[in-house]
Amino acid sequence: MKYSHAMLILLLPLCLGGCEGKSSQSVSPAPTPPQVAKHNVQLEIEKPVFSLSPWKSDGSHMTSVKGRLLIDDLPVANGVLHPSNQTNPIITGKDGSFRLTVDQSLLSDIKLKVASLKQATVSGKSLSGEMEQELQAASATVSVYYPIRIKKVEPSRQDPSQVHVSGQIIPGKGNVVSYFQVDKYRLGGVVKDADGHPVKNAVVWFDRDDGEGFGKSTPTDEEGNYSIYYWPEDEDTHLSVTKGAKRYTLPEGKVFKMPENTSVEIDITLPRKGTVIEDKPPTLFSVTSAGAMYTGVLVGLNLPENIPYTATIPDKHGDFTLTVSKKAWEQKPAFFETTASKFVKERLSWGDTLPANYIHPDEEDPKHIMPVL
């Protein structure tokens, strides 16, 4: 963001010759000049960028990176640092060194800031107020992401002011990218009582094989609505509803047959007496519905919200295309990567175009990715 500074010119009256007394004109004080740092502060990270790698059961996806906190090239001992990816603080050693733990299986921007300097020393001496103030402003970032390669940039045939940027996500050796695709389907509906009134705070349960692979819905709201996201399998499903300490079930020996590869709406009416739900309409009514939960990696440009662009869903090779104004692209914007989870009513496929407002990086997502050559 650019700021303009106005210069204030004060015209002071001059007393010439026989001028007597003081001028009644008030004079405003000159603006305070910006404070110039007097110390060279360095919050150094030995390796600030990591390529994302798969989670491993032996914990080898966890690594540590070295760093140092210095002022005027002298180590700051006993400084307290706060990393955004963990609750425990990091204390700098006598030589100003520290280690930061990095999970290479998660897309992330890990921000490191100076949290406290109460016990900090430099060459065995306490810090001056100026030193503390300048050290408190120090920060560093460690990023974990898939490298991105630009394959080509070409003008749009429809609009010469736009360019199509063809890029590719580059996974590490042996890494399988979790590309954006169907992860789960939605199962939802309404729970009502025998008089047709919505039932609040009821929970719908689904389980297979007498308890294995179970799931439970959100508690029903004021309108009796519930939902759960699941992956349907070609197995018989047991359905039940709990309200407080009471549990309603289908008749003994009855199961619900889930359809595959689709979302489902199931409306349930609880019995006036007893706890058995009659397993036919209108007390148990189900229809397939549109939509699915999509989850996976998406790529976007780190641009102000007022600059529109579109991005395609990366395919199984990591290829994607961004369409953006030529002027914005010439500013060399950084990329971001995010693992998005969204319920979408329409069907999506690799290569489909998404509007820019569809994808946004989370606070911890890497947002300053520059393409590799």
Side-chain angles (χ1 to χ4, degrees):
M1 183 178 292
K2 297 181 179 179
Y3 298 87
S4 61
H5 300 273
M7 181 177 292
L8 178 64
I9 301 176
L10 302 177
L11 300 178
L12 303 180
L14 300 178
C15 290
L16 302 176
C19 178
E20 296 180 359
K22 297 181 180 179
S23 169
S24 61
Q25 182 176 358
S26 62
V27 178
S28 301
T32 303
Q35 187 174 1
V36 178
K38 297 181 179 180
H39 300 279
N40 178 28
V41 174
Q42 296 168 279
L43 182 52
E44 300 176 342
I45 302 292
E46 189 176 78
K47 186 178 180 182
V49 174
F50 290 85
S51 293
L52 193 139
S53 62
W55 179 91
K56 297 178 181 177
S57 58
D58 62 1
S60 57
H61 60 285
M62 303 293 293
T63 187
S64 64
V65 58
K66 296 179 182 178
R68 294 185 75 193
L69 180 60
L70 306 171
I71 188 166
D72 298 330
D73 296 323
L74 297 174
V76 179
N78 296 317
V80 181
L81 307 179
H82 179 254
S84 60
N85 68 329
Q86 61 188 61
T87 55
N88 295 329
I90 298 173
I91 312 298
T92 60
K94 292 181 179 180
D95 59 352
S97 66
F98 60 87
R99 283 185 175 271
L100 173 66
T101 301
V102 177
D103 185 344
Q104 288 186 247
S105 70
L106 298 176
L107 291 174
S108 61
D109 262 352
I110 303 169
K111 298 176 179 63
L112 187 64
K113 297 182 179 181
V114 177
S116 175
L117 297 164
K118 291 182 180 180
Q119 305 298 323
T121 60
V122 174
S123 300
K125 298 180 180 179
S126 299
L127 305 177
S128 67
E130 285 181 351
M131 295 170 79
E132 283 195 23
Q133 185 176 2
E134 293 180 25
L135 281 166
Q136 289 281 6
S139 64
T141 302
V142 177
S143 298
V144 181
Y145 55 80
Y146 293 113
I148 292 174
R149 177 190 295 120
I150 301 301
K151 302 176 75 172
K152 64 179 178 179
V153 179
E154 54 188 0
S156 168
R157 294 179 180 179
Q158 292 78 22
D159 185 352
S161 69
Q162 302 276 308
V163 293
H164 299 307
V165 180
S166 298
Q168 183 182 28
I169 294 172
I170 308 172
K173 185 178 181 180
N175 195 355
V176 178
V177 179
S178 177
Y179 292 116
F180 197 67
Q181 55 193 323
V182 174
D183 177 48
K184 295 177 182 178
Y185 290 94
R186 179 183 178 275
L187 193 156
V190 178
V191 178
K192 297 180 180 180
D193 63 19
D195 296 316
H197 301 135
V199 177
K200 185 181 178 182
N201 290 327
V203 175
V204 182
W205 293 77
F206 301 90
D207 65 83
R208 298 187 301 272
D209 300 329
D210 295 326
E212 293 184 11
F214 78 92
K216 66 176 183 177
S217 74
T218 56
T220 52
D221 60 17
E222 296 279 354
E223 303 299 322
N225 296 304
Y226 71 92
S227 64
I228 180 175
Y229 293 96
Y230 77 114
W231 185 265
E233 295 185 22
D234 187 18
E235 293 183 355
D236 295 337
T237 302
H238 303 276
L239 181 152
S240 62
V241 179
T242 58
K243 177 68 171 70
K246 206 166 187 179
R247 182 169 181 260
Y248 300 86
T249 64
L250 297 180
E252 186 176 355
K254 297 289 186 177
V255 293
F256 188 88
K257 195 75 172 179
M258 288 286 187
E260 292 188 30
N261 302 321
T262 185
S263 294
V264 185
E265 291 284 326
I266 305 175
D267 292 340
I268 305 167
T269 300
L270 302 180
R272 190 180 304 277
K273 295 182 179 180
T275 59
V276 177
I277 303 168
E278 190 174 2
D279 61 328
K280 59 183 180 181
T283 54
L284 187 65
F285 180 76
S286 65
V287 292
T288 59
S289 61
M293 175 69 77
Y294 288 79
T295 300
V297 176
L298 295 175
V299 177
L301 287 174
N302 196 359
L303 289 170
E305 290 187 2
N306 63 339
I307 300 180
Y309 73 94
T310 61
T312 64
I313 300 172
D315 65 18
K316 62 181 180 180
H317 304 294
D319 293 327
F320 62 89
T321 300
L322 302 171
T323 301
V324 64
S325 73
K326 181 180 178 182
K327 183 177 180 180
W329 178 250
E330 288 174 347
Q331 299 301 312
K332 298 182 178 180
F335 290 82
F336 70 80
E337 292 174 355
T338 184
T339 300
S341 292
K342 291 180 179 291
F343 183 80
V344 184
K345 287 191 175 181
E346 63 270 19
R347 288 280 183 175
L348 294 176
S349 300
W350 292 335
D352 285 351
T353 299
L354 302 172
N357 60 7
Y358 188 93
I359 52 174
H360 295 283
D362 290 333
E363 180 66 24
E364 294 292 319
D365 285 334
K367 293 177 284 293
H368 303 284
I369 305 171
M370 300 309 296
V372 298
L373 301 176

